[in-house]
mmCIF file of all heavy atoms in Angstrom:
data_model
loop_
_atom_site.group_PDB
_atom_site.id
_atom_site.type_symbol
_atom_site.label_atom_id
_atom_site.label_comp_id
_atom_site.label_asym_id
_atom_site.label_seq_id
_atom_site.Cartn_x
_atom_site.Cartn_y
_atom_site.Cartn_z
ATOM 1 N N PRO A 62 -2.571 -14.825 24.443
ATOM 2 C CA PRO A 62 -1.449 -15.222 23.714
ATOM 3 C C PRO A 62 -0.286 -14.321 23.746
ATOM 4 O O PRO A 62 -0.462 -13.064 23.908
ATOM 5 C CB PRO A 62 -1.934 -15.243 22.179
ATOM 6 C CG PRO A 62 -3.057 -14.200 22.285
ATOM 7 C CD PRO A 62 -3.753 -14.239 23.682
ATOM 8 N N VAL A 63 0.837 -14.809 23.913
ATOM 9 C CA VAL A 63 2.035 -14.030 23.935
ATOM 10 C C VAL A 63 3.160 -14.703 23.166
ATOM 11 O O VAL A 63 3.548 -15.894 23.397
ATOM 12 C CB VAL A 63 2.653 -13.745 25.364
ATOM 13 C CG1 VAL A 63 3.950 -13.104 25.300
ATOM 14 C CG2 VAL A 63 1.687 -12.903 26.169
ATOM 15 N N PRO A 64 3.531 -14.195 21.893
ATOM 16 C CA PRO A 64 3.252 -12.882 21.401
ATOM 17 C C PRO A 64 1.859 -12.871 21.040
ATOM 18 O O PRO A 64 1.169 -13.770 20.569
ATOM 19 C CB PRO A 64 4.134 -12.758 20.235
ATOM 20 C CG PRO A 64 5.291 -13.784 20.380
ATOM 21 C CD PRO A 64 4.568 -14.950 21.120
ATOM 22 N N GLY A 65 1.282 -11.535 21.012
ATOM 23 C CA GLY A 65 -0.120 -11.448 20.611
ATOM 24 C C GLY A 65 -0.532 -10.051 20.961
ATOM 25 O O GLY A 65 0.401 -9.183 21.336
ATOM 26 N N ILE A 66 -1.823 -9.716 20.822
ATOM 27 C CA ILE A 66 -2.279 -8.360 21.026
ATOM 28 C C ILE A 66 -3.504 -8.494 21.932
ATOM 29 O O ILE A 66 -4.112 -9.619 22.024
ATOM 30 C CB ILE A 66 -2.756 -7.580 19.848
ATOM 31 C CG1 ILE A 66 -3.860 -8.242 19.098
ATOM 32 C CG2 ILE A 66 -1.571 -7.230 18.846
ATOM 33 C CD1 ILE A 66 -4.577 -7.458 18.090
ATOM 34 N N LEU A 67 -3.662 -7.444 22.919
ATOM 35 C CA LEU A 67 -4.681 -7.576 23.903
ATOM 36 C C LEU A 67 -6.105 -7.654 23.315
ATOM 37 O O LEU A 67 -6.916 -8.203 23.903
ATOM 38 C CB LEU A 67 -4.440 -6.487 24.974
ATOM 39 C CG LEU A 67 -4.655 -5.032 24.504
ATOM 40 C CD1 LEU A 67 -6.022 -4.627 24.631
ATOM 41 C CD2 LEU A 67 -3.717 -4.208 25.377
ATOM 42 N N GLN A 69 -6.969 -9.509 21.025
ATOM 43 C CA GLN A 69 -7.367 -10.862 20.691
ATOM 44 C C GLN A 69 -8.259 -11.370 21.845
ATOM 45 O O GLN A 69 -8.977 -12.407 21.676
ATOM 46 C CB GLN A 69 -6.110 -11.761 20.504
ATOM 47 C CG GLN A 69 -5.476 -11.517 19.106
ATOM 48 C CD GLN A 69 -4.187 -12.174 19.039
ATOM 49 O OE1 GLN A 69 -3.080 -11.716 19.323
ATOM 50 N NE2 GLN A 69 -4.185 -13.395 18.567
ATOM 51 N N ALA A 102 9.418 -6.673 22.065
ATOM 52 C CA ALA A 102 8.623 -5.550 21.701
ATOM 53 C C ALA A 102 7.261 -5.517 22.557
ATOM 54 O O ALA A 102 6.637 -6.480 22.609
ATOM 55 C CB ALA A 102 8.377 -5.411 20.296
ATOM 56 N N PHE A 179 -3.847 -1.596 17.846
ATOM 57 C CA PHE A 179 -3.450 -2.761 18.759
ATOM 58 C C PHE A 179 -2.501 -2.454 19.689
ATOM 59 O O PHE A 179 -1.819 -1.280 19.722
ATOM 60 C CB PHE A 179 -3.018 -3.938 17.766
ATOM 61 C CG PHE A 179 -1.755 -3.460 16.824
ATOM 62 C CD1 PHE A 179 -0.549 -3.308 17.381
ATOM 63 C CD2 PHE A 179 -1.970 -3.387 15.621
ATOM 64 C CE1 PHE A 179 0.480 -2.913 16.648
ATOM 65 C CE2 PHE A 179 -0.979 -2.926 14.631
ATOM 66 C CZ PHE A 179 0.340 -2.722 15.264
ATOM 67 N N GLY A 180 -2.322 -3.334 20.757
ATOM 68 C CA GLY A 180 -1.286 -3.185 21.695
ATOM 69 C C GLY A 180 -1.004 -4.406 22.525
ATOM 70 O O GLY A 180 -1.855 -5.395 22.443
ATOM 71 N N GLY A 181 -0.054 -4.513 23.274
ATOM 72 C CA GLY A 181 0.217 -5.754 24.016
ATOM 73 C C GLY A 181 1.659 -6.078 23.865
ATOM 74 O O GLY A 181 2.598 -5.475 23.403
ATOM 75 N N LEU A 182 1.910 -7.403 24.327
ATOM 76 C CA LEU A 182 3.204 -8.007 24.224
ATOM 77 C C LEU A 182 3.349 -8.639 22.785
ATOM 78 O O LEU A 182 3.031 -9.867 22.677
ATOM 79 C CB LEU A 182 3.318 -9.210 25.432
ATOM 80 C CG LEU A 182 3.131 -8.587 26.775
ATOM 81 C CD1 LEU A 182 3.491 -9.785 27.774
ATOM 82 C CD2 LEU A 182 3.929 -7.405 27.148
ATOM 83 N N ILE A 183 3.691 -7.841 21.888
ATOM 84 C CA ILE A 183 3.623 -8.357 20.491
ATOM 85 C C ILE A 183 4.799 -9.099 19.965
ATOM 86 O O ILE A 183 4.667 -9.668 18.831
ATOM 87 C CB ILE A 183 3.377 -7.051 19.549
ATOM 88 C CG1 ILE A 183 4.598 -6.194 19.552
ATOM 89 C CG2 ILE A 183 2.129 -6.313 19.872
ATOM 90 C CD1 ILE A 183 4.487 -5.059 18.684
ATOM 91 N N GLN A 184 5.782 -9.239 20.739
ATOM 92 C CA GLN A 184 6.892 -10.004 20.433
ATOM 93 C C GLN A 184 7.399 -10.877 21.621
ATOM 94 O O GLN A 184 6.970 -10.533 22.701
ATOM 95 C CB GLN A 184 8.005 -9.324 19.746
ATOM 96 C CG GLN A 184 7.615 -8.674 18.343
ATOM 97 C CD GLN A 184 8.899 -8.306 17.573
ATOM 98 O OE1 GLN A 184 10.102 -8.728 17.712
ATOM 99 N NE2 GLN A 184 8.724 -7.369 16.591
ATOM 100 N N PRO A 185 8.165 -11.914 21.506
ATOM 101 C CA PRO A 185 8.497 -12.847 22.607
ATOM 102 C C PRO A 185 9.099 -12.130 23.781
ATOM 103 O O PRO A 185 9.651 -10.961 23.807
ATOM 104 C CB PRO A 185 9.443 -13.733 21.988
ATOM 105 C CG PRO A 185 9.155 -13.821 20.512
ATOM 106 C CD PRO A 185 8.860 -12.279 20.208
ATOM 107 N N ASN A 328 3.067 -4.792 6.850
ATOM 108 C CA ASN A 328 3.460 -6.034 7.638
ATOM 109 C C ASN A 328 2.330 -6.456 8.642
ATOM 110 O O ASN A 328 2.431 -6.910 9.658
ATOM 111 C CB ASN A 328 4.760 -5.751 8.513
ATOM 112 C CG ASN A 328 5.694 -6.818 8.686
ATOM 113 O OD1 ASN A 328 5.672 -7.648 7.839
ATOM 114 N ND2 ASN A 328 6.453 -6.926 9.697
ATOM 115 N N HIS A 329 1.163 -6.391 8.045
ATOM 116 C CA HIS A 329 0.028 -6.876 8.775
ATOM 117 C C HIS A 329 -0.286 -8.330 8.390
ATOM 118 O O HIS A 329 -0.032 -8.871 7.441
ATOM 119 C CB HIS A 329 -1.316 -6.103 8.227
ATOM 120 C CG HIS A 329 -1.261 -4.587 8.571
ATOM 121 N ND1 HIS A 329 -2.050 -3.677 8.072
ATOM 122 C CD2 HIS A 329 -0.419 -3.933 9.530
ATOM 123 C CE1 HIS A 329 -1.698 -2.439 8.685
ATOM 124 N NE2 HIS A 329 -0.717 -2.727 9.446
ATOM 125 N N PHE A 330 -0.937 -8.969 9.444
ATOM 126 C CA PHE A 330 -1.268 -10.392 9.381
ATOM 127 C C PHE A 330 -2.567 -10.585 9.812
ATOM 128 O O PHE A 330 -3.133 -9.774 10.621
ATOM 129 C CB PHE A 330 -0.274 -11.151 10.297
ATOM 130 C CG PHE A 330 1.158 -10.973 9.920
ATOM 131 C CD1 PHE A 330 1.991 -10.102 10.660
ATOM 132 C CD2 PHE A 330 1.777 -11.605 8.902
ATOM 133 C CE1 PHE A 330 3.328 -9.870 10.392
ATOM 134 C CE2 PHE A 330 3.058 -11.471 8.698
ATOM 135 C CZ PHE A 330 3.897 -10.584 9.292
ATOM 136 N N PRO A 331 -3.291 -11.599 9.476
ATOM 137 C CA PRO A 331 -4.660 -11.988 9.943
ATOM 138 C C PRO A 331 -4.641 -12.347 11.405
ATOM 139 O O PRO A 331 -3.658 -12.917 11.831
ATOM 140 C CB PRO A 331 -5.151 -13.129 8.973
ATOM 141 C CG PRO A 331 -3.882 -13.733 8.465
ATOM 142 C CD PRO A 331 -2.900 -12.636 8.338
ATOM 143 N N ILE A 332 -5.668 -12.252 12.051
ATOM 144 C CA ILE A 332 -5.987 -12.513 13.509
ATOM 145 C C ILE A 332 -4.899 -11.705 14.338
ATOM 146 O O ILE A 332 -3.899 -12.170 14.777
ATOM 147 C CB ILE A 332 -5.756 -14.000 13.783
ATOM 148 C CG1 ILE A 332 -6.546 -14.834 12.846
ATOM 149 C CG2 ILE A 332 -6.264 -14.371 15.195
ATOM 150 C CD1 ILE A 332 -6.400 -16.371 13.030
ATOM 151 N N GLY A 333 -5.204 -10.501 14.507
ATOM 152 C CA GLY A 333 -4.367 -9.631 15.293
ATOM 153 C C GLY A 333 -3.610 -8.625 14.567
ATOM 154 O O GLY A 333 -3.052 -7.726 15.199
ATOM 155 N N GLU A 334 -3.388 -8.664 13.257
ATOM 156 C CA GLU A 334 -2.858 -7.706 12.351
ATOM 157 C C GLU A 334 -1.353 -7.623 12.488
ATOM 158 O O GLU A 334 -0.685 -7.509 11.541
ATOM 159 C CB GLU A 334 -3.414 -6.306 12.597
ATOM 160 C CG GLU A 334 -3.070 -5.381 11.481
ATOM 161 C CD GLU A 334 -3.913 -4.043 11.420
ATOM 162 O OE1 GLU A 334 -3.560 -3.208 12.139
ATOM 163 O OE2 GLU A 334 -4.804 -4.087 10.576
ATOM 164 N N ILE A 335 -0.767 -7.593 13.766
ATOM 165 C CA ILE A 335 0.632 -7.424 13.773
ATOM 166 C C ILE A 335 1.360 -8.690 14.144
ATOM 167 O O ILE A 335 2.647 -8.839 13.945
ATOM 168 C CB ILE A 335 0.992 -6.407 14.841
ATOM 169 C CG1 ILE A 335 2.468 -5.843 14.705
ATOM 170 C CG2 ILE A 335 0.712 -6.880 16.286
ATOM 171 C CD1 ILE A 335 2.624 -5.143 13.377
ATOM 172 N N VAL A 336 0.686 -9.750 14.636
ATOM 173 C CA VAL A 336 1.396 -11.023 14.969
ATOM 174 C C VAL A 336 0.913 -12.128 14.050
ATOM 175 O O VAL A 336 -0.323 -12.344 13.936
ATOM 176 C CB VAL A 336 0.935 -11.443 16.475
ATOM 177 C CG1 VAL A 336 1.723 -12.674 16.902
ATOM 178 C CG2 VAL A 336 1.435 -10.371 17.439
ATOM 179 N N PRO A 337 1.826 -12.714 13.250
ATOM 180 C CA PRO A 337 1.417 -13.603 12.288
ATOM 181 C C PRO A 337 0.769 -14.970 12.975
ATOM 182 O O PRO A 337 1.246 -15.405 13.974
ATOM 183 C CB PRO A 337 2.720 -14.028 11.539
ATOM 184 C CG PRO A 337 3.757 -13.769 12.595
ATOM 185 C CD PRO A 337 3.274 -12.547 13.377
ATOM 186 N N PRO A 338 -0.242 -15.524 12.365
ATOM 187 C CA PRO A 338 -0.786 -16.689 12.814
ATOM 188 C C PRO A 338 0.076 -17.926 12.742
ATOM 189 O O PRO A 338 -0.066 -18.935 13.437
ATOM 190 C CB PRO A 338 -2.075 -16.913 11.972
ATOM 191 C CG PRO A 338 -1.696 -16.261 10.706
ATOM 192 C CD PRO A 338 -0.875 -15.041 11.136
ATOM 193 N N THR A 339 1.136 -17.875 11.845
ATOM 194 C CA THR A 339 2.044 -18.875 11.794
ATOM 195 C C THR A 339 3.380 -18.292 11.450
ATOM 196 O O THR A 339 3.436 -17.309 10.658
ATOM 197 C CB THR A 339 1.681 -19.906 10.592
ATOM 198 O OG1 THR A 339 2.848 -20.826 10.385
ATOM 199 C CG2 THR A 339 1.385 -19.233 9.266
ATOM 200 N N PRO A 340 4.536 -18.763 11.939
ATOM 201 C CA PRO A 340 5.925 -18.086 11.611
ATOM 202 C C PRO A 340 6.196 -17.912 10.160
ATOM 203 O O PRO A 340 6.900 -17.114 9.783
ATOM 204 C CB PRO A 340 6.894 -18.961 12.362
ATOM 205 C CG PRO A 340 6.079 -19.521 13.499
ATOM 206 C CD PRO A 340 4.625 -19.822 12.965
ATOM 207 N N PHE A 342 4.446 -16.928 7.790
ATOM 208 C CA PHE A 342 3.958 -15.700 7.198
ATOM 209 C C PHE A 342 4.998 -14.583 7.274
ATOM 210 O O PHE A 342 5.059 -13.725 6.497
ATOM 211 C CB PHE A 342 2.768 -15.253 7.987
ATOM 212 C CG PHE A 342 1.504 -15.876 7.337
ATOM 213 C CD1 PHE A 342 1.538 -17.103 6.750
ATOM 214 C CD2 PHE A 342 0.193 -15.239 7.513
ATOM 215 C CE1 PHE A 342 0.260 -17.649 6.301
ATOM 216 C CE2 PHE A 342 -0.995 -15.771 6.979
ATOM 217 C CZ PHE A 342 -0.831 -17.057 6.298
ATOM 218 N N LEU A 343 5.908 -14.699 8.350
ATOM 219 C CA LEU A 343 6.815 -13.634 8.476
ATOM 220 C C LEU A 343 7.825 -13.552 7.123
ATOM 221 O O LEU A 343 8.297 -12.456 6.757
ATOM 222 C CB LEU A 343 7.926 -13.847 9.623
ATOM 223 C CG LEU A 343 7.120 -13.604 11.047
ATOM 224 C CD1 LEU A 343 8.078 -14.045 12.181
ATOM 225 C CD2 LEU A 343 6.944 -12.113 11.121
ATOM 226 N N TRP A 366 10.025 -7.466 11.760
ATOM 227 C CA TRP A 366 10.511 -8.386 12.736
ATOM 228 C C TRP A 366 11.998 -8.694 12.418
ATOM 229 O O TRP A 366 12.352 -8.727 11.276
ATOM 230 C CB TRP A 366 9.727 -9.640 12.742
ATOM 231 C CG TRP A 366 8.231 -9.497 13.297
ATOM 232 C CD1 TRP A 366 7.403 -8.590 13.038
ATOM 233 C CD2 TRP A 366 7.773 -10.425 14.357
ATOM 234 N NE1 TRP A 366 6.285 -8.836 13.849
ATOM 235 C CE2 TRP A 366 6.478 -9.833 14.645
ATOM 236 C CE3 TRP A 366 8.270 -11.483 15.094
ATOM 237 C CZ2 TRP A 366 5.566 -10.535 15.562
ATOM 238 C CZ3 TRP A 366 7.337 -12.131 16.024
ATOM 239 C CH2 TRP A 366 6.047 -11.693 16.236
ATOM 240 N N ASP A 564 -10.667 -7.898 13.225
ATOM 241 C CA ASP A 564 -10.586 -7.935 11.750
ATOM 242 C C ASP A 564 -11.634 -8.965 11.162
ATOM 243 O O ASP A 564 -12.386 -8.379 10.185
ATOM 244 C CB ASP A 564 -9.122 -8.364 11.309
ATOM 245 C CG ASP A 564 -8.526 -9.319 12.288
ATOM 246 O OD1 ASP A 564 -9.133 -9.692 13.366
ATOM 247 O OD2 ASP A 564 -7.313 -9.568 12.098
ATOM 248 N N ARG A 642 -1.959 -14.261 2.345
ATOM 249 C CA ARG A 642 -0.834 -14.625 1.423
ATOM 250 C C ARG A 642 -1.057 -15.554 0.342
ATOM 251 O O ARG A 642 -0.519 -16.639 0.102
ATOM 252 C CB ARG A 642 0.353 -15.161 2.318
ATOM 253 C CG ARG A 642 1.187 -14.228 3.102
ATOM 254 C CD ARG A 642 0.408 -13.231 3.876
ATOM 255 N NE ARG A 642 1.371 -12.220 4.530
ATOM 256 C CZ ARG A 642 0.996 -11.145 5.353
ATOM 257 N NH1 ARG A 642 -0.314 -11.085 5.536
ATOM 258 N NH2 ARG A 642 1.824 -10.340 5.736
#
Side-chain angles (χ1 to χ4, degrees):
V63 173
I66 63 170
L67 63 91
Q69 288 173 266
F179 52 76
L182 307 184
I183 63 173
Q184 291 194 27
N328 218 26
H329 292 167
F330 305 98
I332 313 180
E334 191 164 85
I335 196 63
V336 181
T339 170
F342 274 28
L343 283 173
W366 284 52
D564 29 8
R642 276 54 184 182

